[in-house]
Amino acid sequence: MPRALIVGGSLGGLMVAHLLRSIGWDATVFERNTEELASRGVGLGTHPQLVAVLKRAGITFDGSMGITPPRGVCLDRQGRVILEQPMTRTLSGWSRLYRALLDALPAPSYRFGKRLTRVEQDASGVTATFADGTSERGDLLVGADGLRSTVRGQFLPEAQPVYAGYVAWRAVLDEADLPPALWRDVVDLYAFCLPDGEQLISYPVPGRDNDTAVGRRAYNIIWYRPTDAAALADISTDAQGRHHAAGIPPPLIRPEVVARIKADAERLIAPQIAAILKRTTPFFQPIYDLDSPRMVFGRVALAGDAAFVARPHAGAGTTKAALDAACLADSIAEAGGDLARALARYERLQLPFGKALVALNRDEGAYLSAQIKPKAERHGAELHRDQGAVLHAHIARSEQMGEIVASHGLTGLY
Ligand SMILES: Cc1cc2nc3c(=O)[nH]c(=O)nc-3n(C[C@H](O)[C@H](O)[C@H](O)COP(=O)(O)OP(=O)(O)OC[C@H]3O[C@@H](n4cnc5c(N)ncnc54)[C@H](O)[C@@H]3O)c2cc1C
């Protein structure tokens, strides 16, 4: 039985493992973390294409997997609804999907504490070497190791993430920790707040135990804030003066930085959303674009965020990882044992698709990136973004995702 070594055990790596197993491959996931990753859990927008690929992986996306708030609204500074649009977006949680995918994989096929350091390949196979001194041999290696991929770093050192000029502050609060009246105010809302030059989106998600039952849900906030390089360096520096260039762990964010975001929430956003954010300990993720010129290097393929990172506006990262996984499995199945031909097809289809998604999301975020330029250098839409345009364009992106998938010939994947 042919064997795939999958580096990275987040959603991308797990979906590749399931879909390769479904075509008769032995697939083993190697994750550098020593224990389960479920604590990362925050909200995650879904698309029908993701749901369909999960189904191919044997995971049924039923009502317990997500919440579909019926109204998309824009709230003003006083908390009044100033724009409203019906919408049908289902919001799930990162840990909800992770749990389902991990539980469905036989335990020996997922190895914790395996940090890849080096890949070597020859005509008959590929060898992965890990930081613990062990190595594994397979027919194919898939780098699903995310934005700072070790695999990409070895084969494509010139492809580096580019900071977009803003960060996403994130917060999530259990329904049980919210006064019932406040929860009732927000539970039906996919809500936007648009302070000058910024963008905040909030929505209900499955709760702590991935629960969608009444009383056990949670509310999720993403607040995009322009942050220049100096300010990013400052908020990425811990109380001991250490700078965390690759991302500061949330518990190390300095208390005064957290206090400042809460004070800004009070000043700038709708009071019902600010009241939720103030009850949490928010953390942030810098937003990057990553665009790779290649995805395949002999017996090595990149998938998910390791190859392309689109800004999160269309909530498409996990869906793209799912389509990468499906395309890889289908290409291998179609090529009848010719791995080189299979990987060439995979790259031919997924490379332009990844590029198109990066471009689509860069477009939506261009307004936010522009805010770190001096005001005199900004113009038109960069200075005054119409609220209705933001809301309508954001909701329309769900459909655009389907159009991009179709225009790249990927509808057969799901
Ligand atoms: C603010 C924000 C909001 C988002 N919202 C959404 C959303 O609503 N919807 C959506 O679909 N997507 C969203 N995303 C994107 C989504 O999180 C990712 O695109 C998706 O999880 C696919 O990631 P991945 O599995 O390819 O990589 P990652 O999730 O980054 O996982 C990489 C894995 O590889 C492991 N790893 C790294 N290096 C090594 C190594 N050397 N050896 C072994 N293991 C290694 C890591 O520990 C990690 O587990 C959002 C992202 C951000 C930043």
Side-chain angles (χ1 to χ4, degrees):
M1 184 188 284
R3 182 175 195 223
L5 312 175
I6 299 161
V7 180
S10 174
L11 302 182
L14 279 165
M15 289 189 284
V16 170
H18 279 287
L19 291 187
L20 289 183
R21 286 169 57 83
S22 77
I23 57 158
W25 276 55
D26 172 23
T28 309
V29 176
F30 299 92
E31 167 56 45
R32 70 178 166 191
N33 281 290
T34 50
E35 54 189 48
E36 288 186 14
L37 315 174
S39 57
R40 282 183 192 180
V42 273
L44 190 105
T46 66
H47 292 268
Q49 296 82 3
L50 172 64
V51 173
V53 174
L54 286 172
K55 194 168 170 199
R56 279 187 61 180
I59 313 284
T60 308
F61 194 96
D62 59 20
S64 74
M65 296 287 262
I67 297 178
T68 311
R71 301 160 67 204
V73 301
C74 188
L75 301 173
D76 71 5
R77 170 65 200 88
Q78 281 67 43
R80 292 172 303 214
V81 173
I82 49 172
L83 284 163
E84 177 159 354
Q85 187 167 325
M87 59 168 288
T88 50
R89 187 111 198 255
T90 299
L91 293 320
S92 185
W94 185 93
S95 61
R96 181 69 185 93
L97 299 188
Y98 174 74
R99 186 80 266 153
L101 287 161
L102 185 65
D103 287 350
L105 203 63
S109 300
Y110 192 101
R111 314 256 181 92
F112 288 103
K114 289 290 188 184
R115 186 167 68 79
L116 178 94
T117 52
R118 184 93 202 140
V119 181
E120 270 151 295
Q121 55 182 324
D122 53 44
S124 65
V126 55
T127 302
T129 304
F130 299 94
D132 61 6
T134 61
S135 60
E136 296 277 345
R137 182 98 174 144
D139 300 283
L140 164 71
L141 183 140
V142 181
D145 50 347
L147 176 73
R148 310 231 171 245
S149 165
T150 305
V151 179
R152 190 188 69 244
Q154 181 178 330
F155 291 95
L156 212 54
E158 69 278 16
Q160 293 289 334
V162 178
Y163 177 53
Y166 56 100
V167 304
W169 278 93
R170 308 201 69 172
V172 65
L173 188 65
D174 288 342
E175 181 177 355
D177 295 333
L178 267 150
L182 182 52
W183 176 261
R184 273 197 304 277
D185 249 12
V186 295
V187 61
D188 279 346
L189 303 183
Y190 187 91
F192 277 79
C193 300
L194 297 170
D196 196 20
E198 310 191 12
Q199 188 184 106
L200 179 148
I201 306 172
S202 59
Y203 46 78
V205 290
R208 192 176 291 276
D209 299 317
N210 298 319
D211 213 330
T212 49
V214 171
R216 304 180 65 87
R217 296 161 291 181
Y219 205 73
N220 178 77
I221 297 172
I222 308 181
W223 187 1
Y224 299 108
R225 307 202 75 190
T227 303
D228 66 20
L232 177 62
D234 174 51
I235 61 178
S236 305
T237 300
D238 66 23
Q240 266 63 53
R242 256 172 317 168
H243 176 235
H244 300 262
I248 184 168
L252 297 186
I253 300 174
R254 300 194 313 277
E256 74 264 24
V257 174
V258 172
R260 205 158 57 219
I261 184 95
K262 291 185 179 184
D264 286 352
E266 176 110 34
R267 214 163 39 84
L268 297 171
I269 63 178
Q272 58 272 53
I273 307 298
I276 297 174
L277 187 137
K278 282 169 64 187
R279 285 174 159 82
T280 69
T281 306
F283 63 97
F284 68 89
Q285 291 166 282
I287 301 301
Y288 294 97
D289 294 310
L290 172 73
D291 195 330
S292 295
R294 292 171 60 197
M295 296 175 80
V296 170
F297 315 89
R299 294 176 173 274
V300 175
L302 298 176
D305 281 9
F308 291 94
V309 175
R311 302 181 190 185
H313 302 293
T318 308
T319 302
K320 188 188 86 65
L323 292 169
D324 283 351
C327 183
L328 183 61
D330 288 357
S331 300
I332 292 173
E334 264 184 49
D338 182 344
L339 188 63
R341 187 153 74 87
L343 295 183
R345 177 183 187 269
Y346 168 68
E347 186 177 61
R348 192 171 66 247
L349 289 169
Q350 296 310 103
L351 194 86
F353 173 57
K355 282 186 185 300
L357 275 188
V358 173
L360 174 77
N361 286 280
R362 196 185 273 143
D363 239 27
E364 176 159 351
Y367 160 69
L368 294 159
S369 292
Q371 305 303 314
I372 59 171
K373 292 197 256 176
K375 211 162 185 178
E377 288 175 25
R378 286 182 250 153
H379 50 79
E382 295 179 355
L383 280 168
H384 304 289
R385 189 86 197 252
D386 171 63
Q387 292 169 328
V390 173
L391 182 64
H392 298 309
H394 184 87
I395 291 174
R397 276 211 166 77
S398 282
E399 281 151 39
Q400 249 171 311
M401 177 77 186
E403 285 162 22
I404 290 183
V405 169
S407 69
H408 287 83
L410 304 181
T411 40
L413 297 176
Y414 55 93

